[in-house]
Amino acid sequence: IETHPILDGTPCDAEGNDLQDGSPPPPRSHRAPEDFSPFTGRAEFEFAEFLYTHEEMSAGKIDRLMNLLASLYDQPPPFADHKELYSIIDSVQQGDVPWDSFSIAYNGPRPEEGPVPPWMDQKFEVWFRDVLQVLENQIGNPDFKGEMDYAPKRVSRNRKRRYRDLMSGNWSWEQADEIAKDESTHGAMFAPIVLGSDKTTVSVATGQNDFYPLYASLGNVHNSVRRAHRNAVALVGFLAVPKTSKEYADKVDFRKFRRQLFHSSLEHILSSVRPHMTVPRVTRCADGHYRRVIYGLGPYIADYPEQALLACIVQNWCPKCTAPPTDLDGDLNGLRSHLHTDTLLNSGAISLQELWDDYGIVGELLPFTTAFPRADIHELLSPDLLHQIIKGTFKDHLVDWVGQWITQTYPKAEAERILADIDRRIAVVPSFPGLRHFHEGRGFKQWTGNDSKGLMKVYLPAISGHVPEEMVKAVAALIEFCYLVCRSIIDEDTLVEIDAALARFHQHREIFRDVRPDGFSLPRQHSLVHYRFMITQFGAPNGLCSSITESKHIKAVKKPYRRSSRNKPLGQMLVTNQRNDKLAAARVDFKARGMLDGPNLSGFLGELYDDGIGAPQPGDDVGVLDAREVNDAGAVDEPLAEAEVKLAKTYVRRLPRDIYLLAAHVNQPQLPLLTRRFLYATLNPDSPVPASPNELPDISGKTYVYNSARAVFYAPSDLSGLGGLHHERIRSVSSWYGGAARRDCIFVGNTDAEPDAEGFANLHVARVFLFFSFSHDGVTYPCALVQWFSAVGDAPDEETTMWMVEPDFRGSKRSLEVIHLDTVLRGAHLIGAAGPNFLPTDAMFDFSKSLDSFHTFYVNKYIDYHAHEVAF
């Protein structure tokens, strides 16, 4: 790792004087370690946090709960009522960044005749918080210690550049070079400001309630922190949403005012940071040290309509380059910039109308970035994985085009039959942790981003055999491109793969000319050609995606709105956000001072719901879910967690403990012999397993059966916690939610693979029919009874780019084996390959029967990003 030699984030004292190397940071707090003020203690703080943040309990219910507690225990409750609770939260000093507002009114020319449009007389209110104070809270958040870069960096492995977080890209290094021209900034820390805005509607039924939140995030924090919403993305404003009647809504002067209002508001909200974009400000950082911080506007997260507004360009033009809207599927054009726009404006030879028509520039308006040093909005617009690729190119374009092609190609009845079969194929896909299940296929109206992501995971096998191979290859190339650019670490080899996938997509999408006779001049598809360059500038795009701001809407907008009275809700929403921020900041402060360590209420609850593995504990009957094991997949935040696969914490009750009786009970007669063969091979690794059962060791210890195992593995591109660890639950139960059995599949390491083997060549696929453990000579062996699958061919399927496998049988019986759980890598997802055949329309045929009904299966490398990286 090479860090910037000049803007290197040198620690300093509170006056800005550089410290000697190795100097410790000054003490963070002089408060007593037991000082939970304004709360009386830890229990009161956690109770307040539980009521207000976690349960979002209403004022009336809080009052009722306090009355019940007083009656039950005959003593005063923790809080007299909701008013006292709110008052205590409001007095928290940590995270206190108050809300402020300003108003903007139209001051342009008015009609000389006729009525004056009402919007010209209105004042539009904008609410905001001091962005500088919000950013300083993020910079100093001790929870981010070790997850923040204090200087631009260049990361390489095997002499190949690697791009991950924002500070690993070329842009931050180039910014530092520019800042370093001023000697007074040498040794400072460059702090980019990541912004995001997106108008959202919270309720249509009770009236069109639109809100326009603005978010800010410190660019120095790692992408994984920003994606996890660990207070790294802060609500800093609510922009005005000007409205008028239909007769004025499309008027030129109203549209112009709306744009001006947007840019003027952004400039004012960010004004507190502007002085420190040239003059460093001494600020305490997450590691406890002070540094001289110099800010700069960083990437802006927005979908395409918002990008057009930000860049002051005409809709359907590209905000990044000068490609005309009629030729967005052509070669790359010159990049846009403020300099390019200024040159055209100042030439004196081009009218505003010509700027609009020939260059796609709204020339009467300047982007807000022109008011800040080193900022160019055309450069700062970040890639948007959600709207440009997942919801845009994939769902809105390719999925719709496939449907149109089928409808145009076949008679109506046959087209409907094919589309219905595609839906059935999607509906019968086997379950998998985190997979959105489409019970009716694609047949619903309100598509969310998660719906589109879920469809992308299972779409290729659904259309294969029903549409031309070239069409499947086009969709496969686009999905491959998506999964490559969604990786958390992108190196130079990955960039080559990205280029190749995009080239294949452009080649194969020509098959859609029948349904797109006018071509593919679409802004969201065109944006893909800019991804390679933007990755080298800003690092991996998954840390700058609009899914981050859309997820933030839930906590910052939608939930606070639901808690409001709906009467002038914005003020109530601001208070809710501020209280949540105070409680979150208080938790970080208490944690940093070691006040939340050790046994307590939270620790007790954590033990109740721990997914960890300890000594065998009795659980529920076969097929009955344990509450501790319902969470199928997610981030792993335990600081001492390691990559591993372990059996569930509890075993299944009321089953025989003798392996021979157990075999009869679970209808697996081969279990004792296979377990004895496994034990012999384990105890004698260099000897062949004898054919005679008489030479095998006997199993005399108790045998325990488990409904699941928990896999923990390094998957930073997926939802992950400390160290990039992710967990998923692998299940083998005789009844899933009271229905049919669920027997999940797994990846197992291939010990016979060639030394230079890559991807799926290093793996085997198996299906788990029993998780169990047994003891022998004082040693416990966690095991799985599995059926093997064999690869079909020695390369992935050319059409879908996924490997195909088929289940192994000995005659008519499954080819079973007992394996040690340590050989399991993680869960695998298989999808049945139907080819040109139609699935049964019988309602009894559903996803629970899928793994028992097909002859061959696709190994779904698109089930998540980690699978894509290991099963290629």
Side-chain angles (χ1 to χ4, degrees), residues 740-759:
R742 173 173 170 178
R743 310 293 185 188
D744 289 349
C745 297
I746 54 175
F747 284 123
V748 181
N750 181 3
T751 57
D752 297 326
E754 297 294 331
D756 59 347
E758 295 182 325

Side-chain angles (χ1 to χ4, degrees), residues 78-79 108 145 212 340 372 454 512 570 591 647 654 695 758 829 855 860:
F79 311 104
K145 181 181 179 181
Y212 211 151
H340 174 258
F372 297 90
F512 289 109
L570 183 55
K591 180 181 177 182
L647 294 172
R654 291 193 281 275
E695 300 180 50
E758 295 182 325
H829 189 239
H855 298 294
N860 187 8

Side-chain angles (χ1 to χ4, degrees), residues 472-485:
V472 179
K473 287 182 176 180
V475 178
L478 186 278
I479 296 176
E480 184 72 11
F481 176 88
C482 177
Y483 274 65
L484 289 169
V485 299

Side-chain angles (χ1 to χ4, degrees), residues 497-749:
E497 294 181 63
I498 288 170
D499 288 341
L502 185 59
R504 292 197 305 274
F505 172 61
H506 287 160
Q507 172 191 346
H508 297 309
R509 75 174 175 182
E510 291 297 318
I511 188 70
F512 289 109
R513 285 285 177 182
D514 290 341
V515 295
R516 290 290 305 176
D518 295 332
F520 309 105
S521 192
L522 301 163
R524 286 180 291 182
Q525 281 198 34
H526 166 77
S527 68
L528 307 188
V529 303
H530 294 292
Y531 268 63
R532 189 190 206 281
F533 176 70
M534 286 192 285
I535 289 169
T536 62
Q537 289 294 98
F538 299 138
N542 67 3
L544 299 170
C545 178
S546 62
S547 61
I548 295 173
T549 53
E550 288 203 358
S551 297
K552 187 71 175 178
H553 286 343
I554 298 172
K555 180 180 178 181
V557 181
K558 296 184 178 181
K559 286 187 176 181
Y561 176 79
R562 296 189 197 112
R563 296 177 71 168
S564 74
S565 67
R566 312 296 203 273
N567 180 30
K568 297 182 179 179
L570 183 55
Q572 301 165 63
M573 294 163 63
L574 299 179
V575 172
T576 298
N577 274 287
Q578 187 157 5
R579 287 172 178 161
N580 281 327
D581 288 346
K582 283 172 174 278
L583 288 169
R587 169 165 284 281
V588 169
D589 179 45
F590 298 154
K591 180 181 177 182
R593 291 193 279 145
M595 298 162 62
L596 300 181
D597 298 334
N600 60 84
L601 175 65
S602 294
F604 174 68
L605 289 175
E607 290 173 8
L608 280 180
Y609 294 97
D610 184 19
D611 272 336
I613 309 301
Q617 299 294 325
D620 295 304
D621 297 334
V622 175
V624 180
L625 291 177
D626 189 319
R628 288 165 286 197
E629 299 172 10
V630 172
N631 187 14
D632 264 9
V636 177
D637 284 323
E638 295 96 8
L640 301 179
E642 297 179 353
E644 60 187 3
V645 179
K646 285 194 173 183
L647 294 172
K649 191 176 183 66
T650 58
Y651 61 80
V652 181
R653 295 180 299 173
R654 291 193 281 275
L655 286 182
R657 301 289 165 237
D658 178 84
I659 196 168
Y660 296 94
L661 297 177
L662 175 65
H665 188 90
V666 298
N667 196 28
Q668 292 290 352
Q670 299 181 72
L671 179 64
L673 176 60
L674 294 175
T675 305
R676 294 170 65 193
R677 292 175 63 85
F678 158 80
L679 182 59
Y680 183 93
T682 303
L683 298 176
N684 305 276
D686 297 325
S687 302
V689 178
S692 172
N694 295 329
E695 300 180 50
L696 300 174
D698 198 13
I699 308 296
S700 57
K702 290 185 178 181
T703 304
Y704 296 90
V705 173
Y706 300 81
N707 282 332
S708 67
R710 185 187 188 228
V712 175
F713 49 92
Y714 181 69
S717 302
D718 294 292
L719 182 61
S720 56
L722 297 173
L725 291 179
H726 173 86
H727 78 86
E728 69 182 17
R729 180 110 3 220
I730 308 166
R731 300 191 182 276
S732 181
V733 294
S734 61
S735 178
W736 177 242
Y737 281 101
R742 173 173 170 178
R743 310 293 185 188
D744 289 349
C745 297
I746 54 175
F747 284 123
V748 181

